[in-house]
Amino acid sequence: MESINFRKTRFLKAAATIKQCPDQELPEVVLCGRSNVGKSSLVNALVDNSKLARTSASPGKTRQVVYFEVDKRLLIADLPGYGYAKVSREKSQAFSSLCDDYFTSGRKISLALILLDIRREPSDKDVMMLDYLNHTDIPYFIVFTKCDKMSRSQCLTRQRALADSFNFSPDASIYAISADKKLGIKDLADGIASFINSLG
Ligand SMILES: Nc1nc2c(ncn2[C@@H]2O[C@H](COP(=O)(O)OP(=O)(O)OP(=O)(O)O)[C@@H](O)[C@H]2O)c(=O)[nH]1
Ligand SMILES: [Mg+2]
């Protein structure tokens, strides 16, 4: 398998509207999930650079689609989180629709990573997102985040419970990670690389 060097990642651009999104010459991997779930932290863990994507303890940090180009092989799109209520309703709708529109804009999405906080019940929006993806041919991985907040066995129990109650596609790959403790990051990077390689 041709390896992908995630360390060779550069910031490409930030887009506030679909129109500003860059041309797609490379396959695109999209990170989505509620605000504060750890999308930007995951980007930093994957590329082994704690300063590349901006993260914050208060939700709503990423307000645009932020693109990173990895090893000239793929784009990572870090989407604004959904379900962030503290901004004005107008603004919150603008972020949320940037996320929704993203999937219906006709943009080619090679792979979606759906991030779910291992400790929390998936929100209505998470469920809608999964339903939506199950009705499209967009492949997705489920990524449980913040697994350092639980013991390994608690984590496994939680993963099983969540997989039982949610409609994950039978062929969706499931990963459990901690961006903080760098757990499961190598596995996920390998999963993304082999997926990208399989696109030929
Ligand atoms: N304990 C722990 N905290 C994490 C982990 N990943 C992210 N966090 C924390 O969760 C908070 C939110 O992380 P972000 O990466 O900014 O989340 P985001 O999904 O990009 O949020 P938005 O940009 O608002 O959509 C920060 O305080 C992170 O330090 C993790 O693996 N473990
Ligand atoms: Mg973010």
Side-chain angles (χ1 to χ4, degrees):
M1 181 177 92
E2 231 185 302
S3 66
I4 294 177
N5 187 348
F6 281 83
R7 285 195 166 150
K8 283 196 190 157
T9 295
R10 65 178 186 113
F11 165 79
L12 189 64
K13 78 177 283 187
T17 62
I18 299 282
K19 271 212 181 119
Q20 293 172 1
C21 296
D23 293 344
Q24 289 183 292
E25 276 136 35
L26 294 171
E28 182 170 312
V29 178
V30 174
L31 270 67
C32 56
R34 80 208 297 177
S35 210
N36 213 45
V37 70
K39 297 175 294 297
S40 302
S41 302
L42 173 56
V43 173
N44 289 340
L46 279 169
V47 308
D48 199 20
N49 177 346
S50 61
K51 296 202 175 73
L52 197 62
R54 292 197 197 122
T55 65
S56 166
S58 44
K61 184 66 186 176
T62 310
R63 299 184 174 200
Q64 297 178 321
V65 184
V66 184
Y67 292 92
F68 302 93
E69 186 191 88
V70 181
D71 203 11
K72 299 200 166 69
R73 296 287 307 283
L74 64 118
L75 294 186
I76 293 180
D78 180 10
L79 288 193
Y82 43 73
Y84 173 50
K86 256 197 211 149
V87 281
S88 73
R89 171 181 288 239
E90 249 167 72
K91 265 198 185 158
S92 140
Q93 272 173 355
F95 301 153
S96 157
S97 75
L98 187 54
C99 176
D100 293 341
D101 291 354
Y102 205 77
F103 283 86
T104 52
S105 62
R107 213 176 153 76
K108 167 98 181 112
I109 295 172
S110 298
L111 176 68
L113 305 188
I114 306 299
L115 276 66
L116 300 170
D117 187 322
I118 188 86
R119 301 164 303 172
R120 302 183 68 172
E121 283 311 302
S123 68
D124 291 350
K125 195 77 212 243
D126 291 322
V127 176
M128 276 165 59
M129 192 72 223
L130 279 168
D131 276 349
Y132 173 76
L133 288 176
N134 285 337
H135 287 94
T136 68
D137 54 8
I138 301 171
Y140 65 87
F141 291 175
I142 298 293
V143 180
F144 291 116
T145 65
K146 308 196 184 184
C147 294
D148 55 286
K149 300 269 193 185
M150 285 183 175
S151 73
R152 226 183 108 69
S153 67
Q154 279 175 316
C155 224
L156 285 170
T157 310
R158 245 341 254 158
Q159 273 185 68
R160 270 195 295 268
L162 286 163
D164 280 347
S165 48
F166 291 91
N167 222 353
F168 301 149
S169 150
D171 39 49
S173 305
I174 299 180
Y175 295 88
I177 64 134
S178 161
D180 266 25
K181 297 273 158 20
K182 292 279 183 105
L183 301 170
I185 301 296
K186 174 83 173 59
D187 270 0
L188 177 57
D190 288 348
I192 295 170
S194 67
F195 180 85
I196 297 294
N197 280 315
S198 76
L199 298 174

